[in-house]
């Protein structure tokens, strides 16, 4: 039966924590290796280790509010700390001069670069 599941990964964790250790084995079981998610007229590619808001309606409302408070203009430089796959930075990019994203998770940083291309 088709359950509408897009992707399934398993990550092994033998630690006493609910967070897997860096480098923990990740096994692709089913479906797409990467997902494409829409947000504020843009499309973001994400992988299994990347963070993405799971409620797109609330996420759009939150981002729209944040952008209205930010008030960027064409001379603004925006620093997106913990940028993940680049959602906030890319949503503000059309309204400012430049966005610089900072991210510690290598997969998320690579997705952010690909999403910006």
């Amino acid at each position: 039966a088709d359950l509408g599941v897009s992707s399934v990964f398993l990550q092994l964790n033998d630690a006493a924590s609910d967070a897997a250790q860096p480098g923990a084995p990740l096994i692709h079981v089913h479906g797409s290796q990467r997902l494409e998610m829409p947000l504020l007229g843009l499309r973001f590619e994400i992988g299994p280790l990347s963070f993405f808001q799971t409620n797109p309606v609330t996420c759009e409302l939150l981002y729209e509010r944040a952008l209205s408070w930010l008030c960027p203009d064409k001379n603004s430089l925006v620093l997106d700390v913990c940028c993940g796959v680049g959602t906030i930075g890319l949503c503000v990019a059309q309204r400012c001069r430049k966005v610089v994203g900072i991210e510690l998770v290598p997969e998320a940083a690579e997705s952010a670069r690909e999403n910006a291309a």
Side-chain angles (χ1 to χ4, degrees):
D2 182 13
L3 301 175
V5 175
S6 299
S7 182
V8 176
F9 282 85
L10 297 177
Q11 188 167 38
L12 306 178
N13 180 20
D14 59 4
S17 167
D18 62 351
Q21 300 300 310
L26 185 67
I27 303 162
H28 178 239
V29 177
H30 170 78
S32 302
Q33 295 239 6
R34 301 181 66 73
L35 300 178
E36 191 174 286
M37 304 296 291
L39 179 64
L40 292 176
L42 301 173
R43 299 197 69 72
F44 294 91
E45 186 176 293
I46 61 173
L49 299 177
S50 301
F51 174 80
F52 192 82
Q53 295 289 341
T54 57
N55 184 329
V57 173
T58 301
C59 183
E60 287 198 1
L61 292 171
L62 175 67
Y63 282 23
E64 287 170 349
R65 178 62 55 98
L67 293 175
S68 73
W69 288 341
L70 182 61
C71 302
D73 62 34
K74 292 297 180 184
N75 295 316
S76 298
L77 169 65
V78 175
L79 182 60
D80 187 358
V81 179
C82 301
C83 69
V85 299
T87 54
I88 294 173
L90 291 171
C91 287
V92 73
Q94 296 175 348
R95 305 177 192 190
C96 67
R97 176 175 54 91
K98 185 174 183 176
V99 174
V100 175
I102 299 172
E103 177 55 56
L104 293 175
V105 177
E107 178 191 287
E110 180 59 30
S111 290
R113 282 188 286 277
E114 290 173 9
N115 289 327

